[in-house]
């Protein structure tokens, strides 16, 4: 390569040379006519990369050797293409310096041409862009990082959205689809239904669930619901939808053609699935269910109507104790009746349609009548005299139980006052519902009513059931203690029907226990019931309580409980619940 003399003449101007050779870049000139032969390489090649310009000019392969092996093939390929087409270079590649460092190079050329445009030579520049490149890489990394982060958040958001959707459509406790799911599925079934397509909607309500919750605690209640859900899940088919609507209410959409017939079959299977007892906190518990069945499209063509029909049928099953009932449009629609009755009950309180009957209690040893129990009835304008079972539960489910209890307390205490004035020294027992017992204002209300009626507190007995206490033992105990402080007598009604033991009730200020009438009904024949009655009486006495036997219907029953040491008896054999006047007459009769 005879370039040195030519290049010195090309760079003859000192100022020009110093400009080129002071730049922080390598410049070069090369022949560019079908070949690439370096004619000049600026001395910065040594300063920047440690190579000698002369060596590069002497050997074409010197530059190629300095290119990073990973970039070499690409750069040679591009260079050959540019040379062949007489186009300028514009490359970026890594160069290995003479001392082995890796530098990023931006190499760019300009093609010099003759007046006809034929290429003569190229002027090239090699700039060290390592820092720029690193900065660029860092930027790219950052951008990539951001993209990854965004993807991560997007995935998380998508997962969250999926979870929300699952959550919105499922019940946390049992994992079953919830009410919303059921509505969605009902809407889907109805909109896709072809003529002749039928399905059933089953509404399942557990009987005695509240009792389990109250007595064994919410944990056991939850446990029961999960166990029931698992048993039901085994009985439904793939095309059915089992949902929990809330509380102890489940629903099954029994789908498919002939779904209406299959509904009955599935309902029976659900019922059977409950036959085997559940073990809750080690206690075997027997649970039954009431199932109402409504059929699409016969009973209802929209979700709300169908559900209302299933609900109505379920209440009918409860009322008739039949386990399962098909919706019957001819039968009094339960829900509308309930609503109507609720409205009527509200008015009944104002119109004075609620009346009290009184059932005497007999002291077994002395044969005296220490008091009576007030039992509410509804003198219904159309249906006649309704027993409390027909309307007290309705009042308990709504806010009406409070005014009802106030009414009974007032009326009963006024009556006792009247009897006392007439010379009958009677105490009065009033049945108290859960809501009243959990109401912290209740003791104050009782005080007011006692003062208004002018009756001393120890003449009032309040009858409470175990379930009522166990619904919220702490709050109940607080109210019971205040009532006890007032001097009111507290009595445990229907004992033996719940799950609690006497020892559990030991801390409560209860002074009377009323053994449920179901025991009295059996003691005439069943030796085991006699034993239970005997030990219950003993236990009651050991706890310092007086014991009452309810439901004495025969002379034998009365004689038996007397011989077992029971203190007091109550029942049709002694006297049925009677109106106040009839009680006065009955008392006068006994005295006479
Ligand atoms: P309870 O407090 O256990 O009342 C005893 C029930 O047994 C009464 O039914 C009574 O008529 C009935 N009975 C009494 N002796 C016999 C007998 O020898 N044989 C049979 N088979 N039954 C007998 P009733 O009046 O229908 O009351 C049912 C329940 O309704 C009561 O059970 C009580 O829990 C509730 N209740 C009654 N009045 C009220 C009230 O004013 N408020 C509240 N919250 N509940 C009430
Ligand atoms: Mg009672
Ligand atoms: Mg009772």
């Amino acid at each position: 390569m005879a370039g040195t003399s030519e290049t010195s003449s090309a760079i003859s101007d000192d100022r020009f040379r110093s400009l080129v050779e002071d730049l922080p870049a390598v410049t070069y000139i090369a022949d560019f006519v079908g070949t690439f032969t370096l004619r000049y390489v600026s001395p910065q090649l040594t300063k920047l990369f440690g190579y000698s310009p002369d060596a590069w000019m002497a050997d074409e392969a010197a530059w190629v050797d300095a290119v990073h092996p990973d970039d070499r093939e690409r750069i040679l390929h591009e260079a050959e293409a540019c040379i062949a087409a007489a186009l300028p270079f514009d490359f970026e590649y890594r160069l290995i310096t003479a001392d082995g460092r890796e530098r990023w190079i931006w190499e760019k050329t300009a093609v010099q041409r003759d007046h006809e445009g034929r290429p003569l030579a190229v002027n090239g520049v090699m700039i060290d862009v390592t820092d720029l490149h690193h900065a660029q890489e860092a930027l790219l990394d950052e951008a990539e990082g951001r993209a990854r982060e965004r993807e991560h958040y997007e995935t998380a958001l998508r997962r969250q959205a999926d979870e929300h959707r699952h959550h919105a459509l499922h019940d946390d406790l049992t994992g079953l689809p919830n009410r919303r799911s059921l509505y969605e599925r009902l809407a889907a079934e109805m909109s896709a239904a072809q003529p002749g397509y039928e399905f059933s909607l089953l509404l399942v309500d557990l009987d005695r669930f509240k009792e389990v919750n109250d007595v064994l605690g919410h944990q056991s209640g939850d446990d029961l619901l999960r166990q029931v859900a698992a048993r039901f899940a085994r009985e439904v088919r793939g095309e059915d939808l089992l949902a929990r609507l809330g509380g102890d209410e489940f629903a099954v959409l029994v789908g498919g053609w002939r779904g209406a017939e299959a509904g009955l079959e599935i309902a029976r299977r659900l019922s059977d699935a409950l036959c085997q007892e559940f073990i809750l906190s080690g206690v075997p518990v027997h649970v039954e269910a009431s199932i109402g069945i409504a059929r699409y499209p016969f009973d209802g063509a929209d979700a709300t109507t169908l559900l209302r029909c299933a609900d109505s049928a379920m209440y009918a099953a409860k009322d008739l104790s039949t386990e399962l009932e098909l919706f019957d449009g001819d039968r009094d629609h339960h829900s509308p009746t309930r609503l109507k009755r609720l409205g009527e009950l509200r008015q009944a309180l104002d119109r004075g349609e609620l009346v009290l009957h009184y059932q005497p209690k007999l002291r077994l040893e002395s044969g005296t009548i220490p008091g009576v129990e007030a039992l509410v009835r509804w003198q219904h304008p159309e249906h006649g005299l309704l027993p409390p079972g027909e309307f007290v539960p309705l009042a308990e489910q709504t806010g009406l139980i409070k005014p009802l209890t106030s009414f009974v307390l007032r009326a009963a205490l006024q009556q006792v006052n009247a009897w006392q004035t007439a010379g009958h020294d009677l105490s009065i027992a009033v049945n108290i519902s859960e809501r009243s017992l959990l109401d912290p204002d209740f003791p104050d209300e009782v005080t007011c009513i006692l003062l208004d009626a002018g009756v001393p507190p120890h003449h009032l007995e309040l009858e409470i059931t175990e379930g009522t206490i166990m619904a919220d033992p702490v709050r109940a105990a607080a109210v019971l203690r205040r009532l006890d402080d007032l001097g009111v007598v507290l009595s445990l009604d229907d004992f033996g029907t719940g799950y609690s033991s006497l020892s559990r009730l030991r801390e409560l200020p209860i002074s009377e226990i009323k053994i449920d009438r179901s025991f009295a009904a059996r003691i005439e024949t069943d030796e085991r019931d006699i034993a239970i009655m005997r030990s219950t009486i003993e236990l009651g006495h050991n706890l310092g309580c007086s014991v009452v036997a309810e439901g004495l219907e025969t002379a034998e029953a009365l004689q038996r409980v007397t011989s077992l040491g029971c203190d007091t008896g109550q029942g049709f054999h002694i006297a049925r619940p009677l109106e106040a006047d009839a009680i006065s007459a009955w008392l006068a009769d006994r005295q006479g």
Side-chain angles (χ1 to χ4, degrees), residues 383-563:
H383 305 296
L385 196 66
L386 297 178
E390 297 261 325
F391 61 93
V392 168
L394 192 61
E396 277 169 348
Q397 285 159 21
T398 61
L400 273 186
I401 193 66
K402 275 195 181 184
L404 187 145
T405 304
S406 304
F407 161 77
V408 174
L409 271 170
R410 260 179 213 289
L413 286 171
Q414 273 161 16
Q415 185 57 52
V416 164
N417 182 299
W419 276 323
Q420 283 177 347
T421 310
H424 301 299
D425 186 23
L426 294 174
S427 67
I428 184 100
V430 172
N431 294 282
I432 298 301
S433 291
E434 183 181 317
R435 281 219 197 183
S436 304
L437 194 68
L438 298 180
D439 177 3
D441 296 334
F442 183 63
D444 293 336
E445 193 192 355
V446 171
T447 312
C448 285
I449 298 176
L450 280 168
L451 286 172
D452 284 353
V455 175
H458 64 271
H459 280 222
L460 173 65
E461 273 175 33
L462 297 179
E463 296 192 2
I464 305 131
T465 61
E466 292 163 76
T468 298
I469 296 171
M470 290 306 160
D472 187 344
V474 177
R475 255 165 84 191
V479 173
L480 285 179
R481 246 171 250 124
R482 284 180 55 206
L483 290 168
D484 182 54
D485 289 345
L486 261 183
V488 168
V489 181
L490 299 171
S491 170
L492 190 63
D493 205 355
D494 302 345
F495 185 77
T497 52
Y499 295 108
S500 57
S501 61
L502 277 177
S503 55
R504 235 173 132 175
L505 301 162
R506 190 167 40 195
E507 302 95 55
L508 299 172
I510 303 260
S511 46
E512 182 183 88
I513 284 162
K514 298 183 78 173
I515 302 173
D516 190 68
R517 66 167 188 259
S518 55
F519 292 92
R522 296 189 301 242
I523 52 167
E524 286 172 49
T525 49
D526 195 325
E527 282 300 323
R528 271 201 341 219
D529 283 307
I530 296 176
I532 292 172
M533 181 71 98
R534 179 184 291 120
S535 53
T536 309
I537 293 169
E538 255 173 47
L539 264 170
H541 285 163
N542 287 343
L543 291 171
C545 292
S546 150
V547 180
V548 182
E550 291 185 299
L552 302 177
E553 293 187 354
T554 60
E556 288 73 34
L558 179 71
Q559 191 270 321
R560 273 250 196 250
V561 296
T562 309
S563 70

Side-chain angles (χ1 to χ4, degrees), residues 247-263:
D248 59 346
E249 225 178 34
F250 294 85
V252 186
L253 190 154
V254 182
W257 295 88
R258 321 301 319 144
E261 266 169 39

Side-chain angles (χ1 to χ4, degrees), residues 230-374:
R231 287 197 197 176
F232 282 177
R234 283 196 288 271
E235 303 305 329
V236 300
R237 307 158 311 162
E239 62 263 47
D240 306 330
L241 177 85
L242 167 65
R244 177 173 168 239
L245 303 187
D248 59 346
E249 225 178 34
F250 294 85
V252 186
L253 190 154
V254 182
W257 295 88
R258 321 301 319 144
E261 266 169 39
L264 208 56
E265 167 65 25
I266 300 279
R268 287 200 189 96
R269 281 204 233 155
L270 297 185
S271 207
D272 290 347
L274 298 179
C275 281
Q276 207 191 341
E277 63 194 10
F278 293 84
I279 306 293
L280 303 170
S281 314
V283 181
V285 174
H286 201 77
V287 174
E288 285 173 2
S290 302
I291 306 178
I293 308 172
R295 290 149 304 172
Y296 174 88
F298 316 111
D299 300 329
D302 63 90
T304 312
T305 310
L306 207 61
L307 262 165
R308 197 174 48 70
C309 293
D311 190 62
S312 160
M314 188 271 289
Y315 271 107
K318 257 195 207 302
D319 285 351
L320 304 168
S321 301
T322 48
E323 286 185 17
L324 51 115
E325 281 294 319
L326 286 168
F327 175 72
D328 179 355
D330 294 336
R331 191 173 42 216
D332 202 6
H333 285 212
H334 202 98
S335 313
T337 309
R338 264 166 65 86
L339 282 180
K340 187 165 166 247
R341 187 153 284 184
L342 195 61
E344 288 175 346
L345 185 57
R346 233 170 236 133
Q347 291 176 344
L349 272 159
D350 298 333
R351 291 184 187 159
E353 288 170 13
L354 294 189
V355 293
L356 295 186
H357 283 191
Y358 302 89
Q359 186 176 36
K361 291 180 176 177
L362 172 70
R363 187 132 302 144
L364 295 173
E365 206 179 302
S366 61
T368 53
I369 304 298
V372 295
E373 177 178 1

